[in-house]
């Protein structure tokens, strides 16, 4: 990445890269490559207790998806299908675990799932806050 930045490439996404005012298409990454990137992103988000880093990274990578707000919770679902037909699903969600007469911390869950015809790989991290 640092070598690319030395050439003035401002950003890299799943769909290409930008150089000054020009955009160039490049070979799309495989779902497996993105899966490994998101495992690292999820692990770092878990360490830093920052669930918002996961949907932010998915949006920056050009993945399809969006936020689904639901009252006392939030959920983000993103997906990416590579040219070989493999699919990466990235999910992040949090919800209030409290109930009547029981104040509990919010639960945060972040997952990355690589699928072909079946689930091939799955990674999850969760924390309470």
């Amino acid at each position: 990445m640092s070598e690319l930045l030395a050439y003035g490439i401002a950003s890299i996404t799943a769909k290409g890269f930008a150089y000054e005012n020009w955009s160039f298409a490049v070979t799309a990454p495989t779902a497996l490559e993105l899966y490994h990137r998101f495992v690292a992103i999820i692990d770092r988000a878990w360490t830093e207790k920052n669930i918002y880093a996961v949907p932010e990274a998915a949006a920056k990578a050009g993945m399809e998806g969006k936020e689904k707000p639901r009252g006392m919770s939030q959920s983000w679902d993103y997906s990416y299908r590579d040219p070989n037909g493999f699919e990466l699903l990235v999910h992040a969600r949090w919800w209030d675990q409290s109930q009547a007469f029981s104040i509990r911390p919010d639960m945060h869950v972040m997952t990355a799932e690589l699928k072909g015809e079946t689930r091939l790989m799955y990674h999850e991290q969760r924390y309470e806050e």
Side-chain angles (χ1 to χ4, degrees), residues 30-83:
T30 66
L32 178 61
E33 291 169 336
L34 282 179
Y35 172 82
H36 288 296
R37 289 182 198 168
F38 274 93
V39 165
I41 290 165
I42 288 169
D43 286 348
R44 183 169 183 171
W46 175 73
T47 301
E48 296 175 355
K49 294 189 185 253
N50 179 13
I51 196 168
Y52 301 103
V54 176
E56 182 180 305
K60 283 183 180 178
M63 295 177 71
E64 298 292 325
K66 62 181 180 176
E67 176 185 356
K68 298 177 182 176
R70 298 185 222 159
M72 297 300 290
S73 68
Q74 258 181 314
S75 176
W76 299 267
D77 297 314
Y78 286 89
S79 65
Y80 172 77
R81 185 173 297 276
D82 71 16

Tab-separated table of all heavy atoms in Angstrom, residues 30-83:
chain	number	residue	atom	x	y	z
A	30	THR	N	-10.429	-11.088	-4.539
A	30	THR	CA	-11.277	-12.252	-4.306
A	30	THR	C	-12.009	-12.062	-2.980
A	30	THR	O	-11.578	-11.290	-2.111
A	30	THR	CB	-10.456	-13.551	-4.249
A	30	THR	OG1	-9.614	-13.517	-3.097
A	30	THR	CG2	-9.633	-13.748	-5.514
A	31	ALA	N	-13.085	-12.770	-2.828
A	31	ALA	CA	-13.823	-12.727	-1.567
A	31	ALA	C	-12.942	-13.248	-0.429
A	31	ALA	O	-13.028	-12.757	0.694
A	31	ALA	CB	-15.106	-13.535	-1.686
A	32	LEU	N	-12.072	-14.196	-0.728
A	32	LEU	CA	-11.165	-14.728	0.292
A	32	LEU	C	-10.192	-13.652	0.767
A	32	LEU	O	-9.942	-13.510	1.968
A	32	LEU	CB	-10.401	-15.944	-0.234
A	32	LEU	CG	-9.383	-16.565	0.727
A	32	LEU	CD1	-10.071	-17.062	1.999
A	32	LEU	CD2	-8.631	-17.694	0.038
A	33	GLU	N	-9.642	-12.872	-0.163
A	33	GLU	CA	-8.742	-11.776	0.226
A	33	GLU	C	-9.466	-10.775	1.116
A	33	GLU	O	-8.931	-10.359	2.154
A	33	GLU	CB	-8.198	-11.068	-1.012
A	33	GLU	CG	-7.234	-11.891	-1.827
A	33	GLU	CD	-6.918	-11.282	-3.186
A	33	GLU	OE1	-7.736	-10.496	-3.723
A	33	GLU	OE2	-5.842	-11.607	-3.709
A	34	LEU	N	-10.672	-10.395	0.726
A	34	LEU	CA	-11.439	-9.452	1.541
A	34	LEU	C	-11.821	-10.073	2.881
A	34	LEU	O	-11.853	-9.378	3.897
A	34	LEU	CB	-12.688	-8.983	0.803
A	34	LEU	CG	-12.479	-7.929	-0.267
A	34	LEU	CD1	-13.801	-7.579	-0.938
A	34	LEU	CD2	-11.842	-6.674	0.299
A	35	TYR	N	-12.111	-11.363	2.906
A	35	TYR	CA	-12.433	-12.041	4.160
A	35	TYR	C	-11.287	-11.870	5.156
A	35	TYR	O	-11.503	-11.490	6.301
A	35	TYR	CB	-12.716	-13.525	3.920
A	35	TYR	CG	-12.875	-14.305	5.206
A	35	TYR	CD1	-14.092	-14.304	5.887
A	35	TYR	CD2	-11.808	-15.016	5.746
A	35	TYR	CE1	-14.237	-14.998	7.076
A	35	TYR	CE2	-11.940	-15.708	6.930
A	35	TYR	CZ	-13.161	-15.698	7.595
A	35	TYR	OH	-13.298	-16.379	8.780
A	36	HIS	N	-10.067	-12.147	4.712
A	36	HIS	CA	-8.915	-12.023	5.609
A	36	HIS	C	-8.714	-10.583	6.074
A	36	HIS	O	-8.346	-10.340	7.226
A	36	HIS	CB	-7.650	-12.573	4.945
A	36	HIS	CG	-7.662	-14.063	4.845
A	36	HIS	ND1	-7.672	-14.900	5.932
A	36	HIS	CD2	-7.696	-14.877	3.766
A	36	HIS	CE1	-7.697	-16.150	5.547
A	36	HIS	NE2	-7.720	-16.166	4.222
A	37	ARG	N	-8.969	-9.618	5.195
A	37	ARG	CA	-8.885	-8.209	5.598
A	37	ARG	C	-9.909	-7.905	6.680
A	37	ARG	O	-9.612	-7.210	7.653
A	37	ARG	CB	-9.112	-7.284	4.407
A	37	ARG	CG	-7.995	-7.277	3.410
A	37	ARG	CD	-8.288	-6.307	2.293
A	37	ARG	NE	-7.463	-6.593	1.129
A	37	ARG	CZ	-7.650	-6.069	-0.052
A	37	ARG	NH1	-8.636	-5.212	-0.253
A	37	ARG	NH2	-6.856	-6.379	-1.053
A	38	PHE	N	-11.124	-8.412	6.517
A	38	PHE	CA	-12.182	-8.121	7.488
A	38	PHE	C	-12.002	-8.879	8.794
A	38	PHE	O	-12.433	-8.395	9.841
A	38	PHE	CB	-13.572	-8.312	6.878
A	38	PHE	CG	-14.014	-7.068	6.180
A	38	PHE	CD1	-13.783	-6.916	4.832
A	38	PHE	CD2	-14.588	-6.017	6.881
A	38	PHE	CE1	-14.137	-5.745	4.181
A	38	PHE	CE2	-14.940	-4.844	6.245
A	38	PHE	CZ	-14.719	-4.700	4.894
A	39	VAL	N	-11.363	-10.012	8.776
A	39	VAL	CA	-11.018	-10.678	10.041
A	39	VAL	C	-10.121	-9.746	10.850
A	39	VAL	O	-10.339	-9.533	12.046
A	39	VAL	CB	-10.344	-12.041	9.793
A	39	VAL	CG1	-9.671	-12.560	11.053
A	39	VAL	CG2	-11.362	-13.052	9.274
A	40	ALA	N	-9.126	-9.157	10.206
A	40	ALA	CA	-8.226	-8.226	10.893
A	40	ALA	C	-8.969	-6.964	11.350
A	40	ALA	O	-8.745	-6.471	12.458
A	40	ALA	CB	-7.055	-7.856	9.986
A	41	ILE	N	-9.858	-6.448	10.513
A	41	ILE	CA	-10.626	-5.249	10.870
A	41	ILE	C	-11.525	-5.542	12.064
A	41	ILE	O	-11.609	-4.741	13.003
A	41	ILE	CB	-11.453	-4.764	9.653
A	41	ILE	CG1	-10.518	-4.186	8.589
A	41	ILE	CG2	-12.512	-3.746	10.076
A	41	ILE	CD1	-11.156	-4.000	7.224
A	42	ILE	N	-12.189	-6.688	12.057
A	42	ILE	CA	-13.064	-7.065	13.166
A	42	ILE	C	-12.267	-7.258	14.445
A	42	ILE	O	-12.684	-6.806	15.522
A	42	ILE	CB	-13.877	-8.324	12.801
A	42	ILE	CG1	-14.953	-7.958	11.771
A	42	ILE	CG2	-14.487	-8.975	14.031
A	42	ILE	CD1	-15.654	-9.144	11.141
A	43	ASP	N	-11.119	-7.914	14.356
A	43	ASP	CA	-10.289	-8.108	15.549
A	43	ASP	C	-9.833	-6.775	16.134
A	43	ASP	O	-9.826	-6.581	17.344
A	43	ASP	CB	-9.092	-8.999	15.235
A	43	ASP	CG	-9.484	-10.461	15.065
A	43	ASP	OD1	-10.634	-10.825	15.416
A	43	ASP	OD2	-8.639	-11.235	14.567
A	44	ARG	N	-9.466	-5.848	15.281
A	44	ARG	CA	-9.045	-4.528	15.768
A	44	ARG	C	-10.240	-3.774	16.365
A	44	ARG	O	-10.107	-3.149	17.412
A	44	ARG	CB	-8.414	-3.725	14.642
A	44	ARG	CG	-7.912	-2.395	15.126
A	44	ARG	CD	-7.068	-1.709	14.115
A	44	ARG	NE	-6.578	-0.471	14.698
A	44	ARG	CZ	-5.699	0.281	14.156
A	44	ARG	NH1	-5.156	-0.057	13.012
A	44	ARG	NH2	-5.311	1.388	14.735
A	45	ALA	N	-11.390	-3.840	15.706
A	45	ALA	CA	-12.592	-3.182	16.233
A	45	ALA	C	-12.969	-3.766	17.595
A	45	ALA	O	-13.406	-3.048	18.493
A	45	ALA	CB	-13.749	-3.328	15.253
A	46	TRP	N	-12.788	-5.069	17.762
A	46	TRP	CA	-13.056	-5.721	19.040
A	46	TRP	C	-12.080	-5.218	20.110
A	46	TRP	O	-12.491	-4.884	21.214
A	46	TRP	CB	-12.939	-7.235	18.860
A	46	TRP	CG	-13.064	-8.017	20.121
A	46	TRP	CD1	-14.195	-8.253	20.850
A	46	TRP	CD2	-12.009	-8.676	20.809
A	46	TRP	NE1	-13.909	-9.015	21.943
A	46	TRP	CE2	-12.573	-9.290	21.946
A	46	TRP	CE3	-10.640	-8.809	20.579
A	46	TRP	CZ2	-11.805	-10.030	22.842
A	46	TRP	CZ3	-9.878	-9.552	21.461
A	46	TRP	CH2	-10.464	-10.153	22.583
A	47	THR	N	-10.809	-5.145	19.765
A	47	THR	CA	-9.802	-4.664	20.710
A	47	THR	C	-10.080	-3.224	21.132
A	47	THR	O	-9.968	-2.882	22.311
A	47	THR	CB	-8.387	-4.745	20.076
A	47	THR	OG1	-8.123	-6.099	19.731
A	47	THR	CG2	-7.324	-4.234	21.016
A	48	GLU	N	-10.457	-2.397	20.169
A	48	GLU	CA	-10.713	-0.978	20.440
A	48	GLU	C	-12.152	-0.705	20.879
A	48	GLU	O	-12.496	0.431	21.174
A	48	GLU	CB	-10.391	-0.159	19.192
A	48	GLU	CG	-8.932	-0.221	18.809
A	48	GLU	CD	-8.615	0.484	17.502
A	48	GLU	OE1	-9.548	0.966	16.808
A	48	GLU	OE2	-7.415	0.556	17.172
A	49	LYS	N	-12.979	-1.740	20.915
A	49	LYS	CA	-14.406	-1.599	21.232
A	49	LYS	C	-15.044	-0.508	20.376
A	49	LYS	O	-15.646	0.441	20.868
A	49	LYS	CB	-14.619	-1.342	22.722
A	49	LYS	CG	-14.217	-2.511	23.579
A	49	LYS	CD	-14.627	-2.337	25.013
A	49	LYS	CE	-14.099	-3.481	25.828
A	49	LYS	NZ	-15.020	-4.429	26.255
A	50	ASN	N	-14.888	-0.679	19.059
A	50	ASN	CA	-15.383	0.295	18.091
A	50	ASN	C	-16.108	-0.435	16.958
A	50	ASN	O	-15.554	-0.638	15.887
A	50	ASN	CB	-14.236	1.138	17.541
A	50	ASN	CG	-14.706	2.150	16.525
A	50	ASN	OD1	-15.897	2.401	16.378
A	50	ASN	ND2	-13.771	2.739	15.811
A	51	ILE	N	-17.338	-0.814	17.197
A	51	ILE	CA	-18.117	-1.554	16.204
A	51	ILE	C	-18.304	-0.766	14.919
A	51	ILE	O	-18.417	-1.334	13.846
A	51	ILE	CB	-19.488	-1.982	16.790
A	51	ILE	CG1	-20.109	-3.061	15.905
A	51	ILE	CG2	-20.403	-0.787	16.985
A	51	ILE	CD1	-21.295	-3.746	16.530
A	52	TYR	N	-18.291	0.559	15.008
A	52	TYR	CA	-18.541	1.406	13.840
A	52	TYR	C	-17.416	1.312	12.800
A	52	TYR	O	-17.625	1.653	11.642
A	52	TYR	CB	-18.759	2.855	14.273
A	52	TYR	CG	-19.930	2.971	15.223
A	52	TYR	CD1	-19.724	3.121	16.585
A	52	TYR	CD2	-21.235	2.886	14.759
A	52	TYR	CE1	-20.799	3.196	17.459
A	52	TYR	CE2	-22.311	2.959	15.617
A	52	TYR	CZ	-22.097	3.118	16.980
A	52	TYR	OH	-23.160	3.173	17.831
A	53	ALA	N	-16.249	0.819	13.185
A	53	ALA	CA	-15.140	0.662	12.240
A	53	ALA	C	-15.460	-0.395	11.175
A	53	ALA	O	-14.982	-0.297	10.048
A	53	ALA	CB	-13.864	0.286	12.978
A	54	VAL	N	-16.282	-1.375	11.509
A	54	VAL	CA	-16.586	-2.461	10.570
A	54	VAL	C	-17.468	-1.973	9.415
A	54	VAL	O	-17.096	-2.140	8.251
A	54	VAL	CB	-17.202	-3.670	11.306
A	54	VAL	CG1	-17.617	-4.754	10.328
A	54	VAL	CG2	-16.201	-4.221	12.322
A	55	PRO	N	-18.628	-1.355	9.683
A	55	PRO	CA	-19.417	-0.869	8.545
A	55	PRO	C	-18.716	0.251	7.771
A	55	PRO	O	-18.877	0.359	6.551
A	55	PRO	CB	-20.723	-0.386	9.175
A	55	PRO	CG	-20.430	-0.207	10.615
A	55	PRO	CD	-19.329	-1.166	10.939
A	56	GLU	N	-17.920	1.047	8.464
A	56	GLU	CA	-17.161	2.101	7.777
A	56	GLU	C	-16.176	1.487	6.779
A	56	GLU	O	-16.076	1.935	5.637
A	56	GLU	CB	-16.410	2.953	8.800
A	56	GLU	CG	-15.641	4.089	8.204
A	56	GLU	CD	-14.922	4.896	9.275
A	56	GLU	OE1	-15.581	5.359	10.215
A	56	GLU	OE2	-13.685	5.046	9.165
A	57	ALA	N	-15.474	0.439	7.181
A	57	ALA	CA	-14.519	-0.230	6.289
A	57	ALA	C	-15.244	-0.913	5.127
A	57	ALA	O	-14.767	-0.879	3.992
A	57	ALA	CB	-13.697	-1.249	7.073
A	58	ALA	N	-16.397	-1.500	5.392
A	58	ALA	CA	-17.156	-2.168	4.325
A	58	ALA	C	-17.629	-1.153	3.286
A	58	ALA	O	-17.547	-1.399	2.084
A	58	ALA	CB	-18.341	-2.924	4.920
A	59	ALA	N	-18.103	-0.011	3.747
A	59	ALA	CA	-18.546	1.033	2.815
A	59	ALA	C	-17.369	1.565	2.002
A	59	ALA	O	-17.481	1.745	0.790
A	59	ALA	CB	-19.228	2.162	3.575
A	60	LYS	N	-16.231	1.780	2.648
A	60	LYS	CA	-15.046	2.275	1.939
A	60	LYS	C	-14.523	1.266	0.920
A	60	LYS	O	-13.942	1.649	-0.084
A	60	LYS	CB	-13.938	2.630	2.926
A	60	LYS	CG	-14.166	3.940	3.639
A	60	LYS	CD	-13.002	4.281	4.543
A	60	LYS	CE	-13.237	5.594	5.262
A	60	LYS	NZ	-12.126	5.910	6.173
A	61	ALA	N	-14.728	-0.013	1.194
A	61	ALA	CA	-14.273	-1.053	0.268
A	61	ALA	C	-15.211	-1.199	-0.927
A	61	ALA	O	-14.935	-1.969	-1.837
A	61	ALA	CB	-14.156	-2.393	0.998
A	62	GLY	N	-16.324	-0.470	-0.916
A	62	GLY	CA	-17.252	-0.527	-2.035
A	62	GLY	C	-18.216	-1.691	-1.977
A	62	GLY	O	-18.826	-2.049	-2.983
A	63	MET	N	-18.371	-2.292	-0.806
A	63	MET	CA	-19.298	-3.416	-0.664
A	63	MET	C	-20.740	-2.911	-0.710
A	63	MET	O	-21.021	-1.777	-0.339
A	63	MET	CB	-19.029	-4.153	0.654
A	63	MET	CG	-17.665	-4.813	0.701
A	63	MET	SD	-17.328	-5.614	2.280
A	63	MET	CE	-18.453	-7.000	2.189
A	64	GLU	N	-21.639	-3.765	-1.166
A	64	GLU	CA	-23.061	-3.436	-1.215
A	64	GLU	C	-23.656	-3.627	0.173
A	64	GLU	O	-23.393	-4.631	0.830
A	64	GLU	CB	-23.782	-4.365	-2.196
A	64	GLU	CG	-23.293	-4.261	-3.626
A	64	GLU	CD	-23.637	-2.930	-4.267
A	64	GLU	OE1	-24.713	-2.379	-3.967
A	64	GLU	OE2	-22.816	-2.439	-5.060
A	65	GLY	N	-24.455	-2.670	0.622
A	65	GLY	CA	-25.117	-2.825	1.903
A	65	GLY	C	-25.437	-1.496	2.536
A	65	GLY	O	-25.189	-0.435	1.957
A	66	LYS	N	-25.978	-1.581	3.765
A	66	LYS	CA	-26.354	-0.364	4.471
A	66	LYS	C	-26.726	-0.672	5.912
A	66	LYS	O	-26.780	-1.818	6.335
A	66	LYS	CB	-27.527	0.301	3.778
A	66	LYS	CG	-28.785	-0.537	3.752
A	66	LYS	CD	-29.895	0.174	3.038
A	66	LYS	CE	-31.147	-0.711	3.031
A	66	LYS	NZ	-32.274	-0.051	2.449
A	67	GLU	N	-27.029	0.400	6.633
A	67	GLU	CA	-27.471	0.311	8.024
A	67	GLU	C	-28.957	0.006	8.071
A	67	GLU	O	-29.725	0.449	7.215
A	67	GLU	CB	-27.209	1.636	8.725
A	67	GLU	CG	-27.716	1.682	10.145
A	67	GLU	CD	-27.549	3.037	10.792
A	67	GLU	OE1	-26.962	3.942	10.176
A	67	GLU	OE2	-28.039	3.183	11.920
A	68	LYS	N	-29.345	-0.752	9.086
A	68	LYS	CA	-30.754	-1.049	9.330
A	68	LYS	C	-31.080	-0.678	10.774
A	68	LYS	O	-30.956	-1.515	11.665
A	68	LYS	CB	-31.033	-2.528	9.081
A	68	LYS	CG	-30.778	-2.951	7.656
A	68	LYS	CD	-30.990	-4.422	7.481
A	68	LYS	CE	-30.663	-4.808	6.052
A	68	LYS	NZ	-30.763	-6.226	5.816
A	69	PRO	N	-31.442	0.606	11.023
A	69	PRO	CA	-31.743	1.011	12.402
A	69	PRO	C	-33.028	0.352	12.914
A	69	PRO	O	-33.967	0.146	12.155
A	69	PRO	CB	-31.898	2.527	12.301
A	69	PRO	CG	-32.221	2.797	10.881
A	69	PRO	CD	-31.628	1.681	10.075
A	70	ARG	N	-33.011	0.007	14.199
A	70	ARG	CA	-34.178	-0.648	14.788
A	70	ARG	C	-34.346	-0.223	16.243
A	70	ARG	O	-34.022	-0.986	17.136
A	70	ARG	CB	-34.026	-2.156	14.768
A	70	ARG	CG	-33.922	-2.755	13.410
A	70	ARG	CD	-33.910	-4.252	13.566
A	70	ARG	NE	-32.924	-4.801	12.672
A	70	ARG	CZ	-32.371	-5.980	12.805
A	70	ARG	NH1	-32.667	-6.739	13.802
A	70	ARG	NH2	-31.500	-6.401	11.927
A	71	GLY	N	-34.835	0.937	16.530
A	71	GLY	CA	-35.106	1.340	17.909
A	71	GLY	C	-33.883	1.326	18.802
A	71	GLY	O	-32.972	2.106	18.631
A	72	MET	N	-33.858	0.415	19.750
A	72	MET	CA	-32.765	0.328	20.716
A	72	MET	C	-31.641	-0.581	20.223
A	72	MET	O	-30.976	-1.254	21.014
A	72	MET	CB	-33.293	-0.168	22.063
A	72	MET	CG	-34.298	0.764	22.703
A	72	MET	SD	-33.630	2.413	23.020
A	72	MET	CE	-32.499	2.068	24.336
A	73	SER	N	-31.438	-0.618	18.909
A	73	SER	CA	-30.358	-1.417	18.339
A	73	SER	C	-29.969	-0.829	16.988
A	73	SER	O	-30.647	0.042	16.458
A	73	SER	CB	-30.795	-2.873	18.172
A	73	SER	OG	-31.793	-2.974	17.178
A	74	GLN	N	-28.871	-1.318	16.455
A	74	GLN	CA	-28.404	-0.942	15.122
A	74	GLN	C	-27.824	-2.173	14.462
A	74	GLN	O	-27.236	-3.018	15.136
A	74	GLN	CB	-27.299	0.120	15.210
A	74	GLN	CG	-27.749	1.511	14.923
A	74	GLN	CD	-26.576	2.487	15.006
A	74	GLN	OE1	-25.788	2.447	15.929
A	74	GLN	NE2	-26.485	3.358	14.040
A	75	SER	N	-27.971	-2.246	13.146
A	75	SER	CA	-27.454	-3.386	12.408
A	75	SER	C	-26.968	-2.918	11.041
A	75	SER	O	-27.592	-2.060	10.420
A	75	SER	CB	-28.576	-4.421	12.241
A	75	SER	OG	-28.144	-5.498	11.462
A	76	TRP	N	-25.849	-3.485	10.592
A	76	TRP	CA	-25.303	-3.199	9.264
A	76	TRP	C	-25.057	-4.531	8.572
A	76	TRP	O	-24.489	-5.446	9.161
A	76	TRP	CB	-23.981	-2.456	9.351
A	76	TRP	CG	-24.050	-1.134	10.016
A	76	TRP	CD1	-24.230	0.076	9.410
A	76	TRP	CD2	-23.893	-0.868	11.412
A	76	TRP	NE1	-24.205	1.079	10.352
A	76	TRP	CE2	-24.005	0.519	11.592
A	76	TRP	CE3	-23.688	-1.664	12.536
A	76	TRP	CZ2	-23.907	1.132	12.830
A	76	TRP	CZ3	-23.595	-1.067	13.769
A	76	TRP	CH2	-23.703	0.320	13.904
A	77	ASP	N	-25.459	-4.622	7.322
A	77	ASP	CA	-25.231	-5.829	6.524
A	77	ASP	C	-24.606	-5.420	5.202
A	77	ASP	O	-25.162	-4.588	4.482
A	77	ASP	CB	-26.551	-6.560	6.257
A	77	ASP	CG	-27.205	-7.050	7.532
A	77	ASP	OD1	-26.498	-7.633	8.361
A	77	ASP	OD2	-28.428	-6.855	7.688
A	78	TYR	N	-23.449	-6.021	4.889
A	78	TYR	CA	-22.744	-5.745	3.635
A	78	TYR	C	-22.392	-7.054	2.964
A	78	TYR	O	-22.170	-8.072	3.632
A	78	TYR	CB	-21.462	-4.946	3.896
A	78	TYR	CG	-21.731	-3.507	4.242
A	78	TYR	CD1	-21.939	-3.119	5.559
A	78	TYR	CD2	-21.783	-2.532	3.250
A	78	TYR	CE1	-22.203	-1.798	5.872
A	78	TYR	CE2	-22.041	-1.209	3.560
A	78	TYR	CZ	-22.254	-0.851	4.871
A	78	TYR	OH	-22.516	0.457	5.182
A	79	SER	N	-22.325	-7.025	1.628
A	79	SER	CA	-21.945	-8.233	0.901
A	79	SER	C	-21.081	-7.868	-0.300
A	79	SER	O	-21.121	-6.742	-0.796
A	79	SER	CB	-23.190	-8.996	0.440
A	79	SER	OG	-23.911	-8.237	-0.496
A	80	TYR	N	-20.316	-8.856	-0.735
A	80	TYR	CA	-19.448	-8.711	-1.902
A	80	TYR	C	-19.352	-10.074	-2.578
A	80	TYR	O	-19.088	-11.077	-1.910
A	80	TYR	CB	-18.051	-8.234	-1.480
A	80	TYR	CG	-17.045	-8.252	-2.601
A	80	TYR	CD1	-17.046	-7.265	-3.574
A	80	TYR	CD2	-16.100	-9.263	-2.687
A	80	TYR	CE1	-16.135	-7.282	-4.605
A	80	TYR	CE2	-15.171	-9.282	-3.714
A	80	TYR	CZ	-15.188	-8.292	-4.672
A	80	TYR	OH	-14.278	-8.306	-5.695
A	81	ARG	N	-19.593	-10.120	-3.864
A	81	ARG	CA	-19.460	-11.366	-4.634
A	81	ARG	C	-18.319	-11.177	-5.632
A	81	ARG	O	-18.309	-10.222	-6.396
A	81	ARG	CB	-20.744	-11.704	-5.375
A	81	ARG	CG	-20.672	-13.062	-6.074
A	81	ARG	CD	-21.996	-13.480	-6.663
A	81	ARG	NE	-23.037	-13.655	-5.673
A	81	ARG	CZ	-23.240	-14.764	-4.961
A	81	ARG	NH1	-22.443	-15.802	-5.118
A	81	ARG	NH2	-24.232	-14.838	-4.105
A	82	ASP	N	-17.355	-12.090	-5.601
A	82	ASP	CA	-16.216	-11.971	-6.511
A	82	ASP	C	-16.532	-12.623	-7.858
A	82	ASP	O	-17.561	-13.292	-8.013
A	82	ASP	CB	-14.931	-12.512	-5.864
A	82	ASP	CG	-14.889	-14.022	-5.694
A	82	ASP	OD1	-15.695	-14.744	-6.319
A	82	ASP	OD2	-14.030	-14.497	-4.935
A	83	PRO	N	-15.658	-12.418	-8.844
A	83	PRO	CA	-15.905	-12.981	-10.183
A	83	PRO	C	-15.985	-14.513	-10.209
A	83	PRO	O	-16.542	-15.087	-11.132
A	83	PRO	CB	-14.703	-12.498	-11.005
A	83	PRO	CG	-14.213	-11.285	-10.289
A	83	PRO	CD	-14.490	-11.535	-8.836
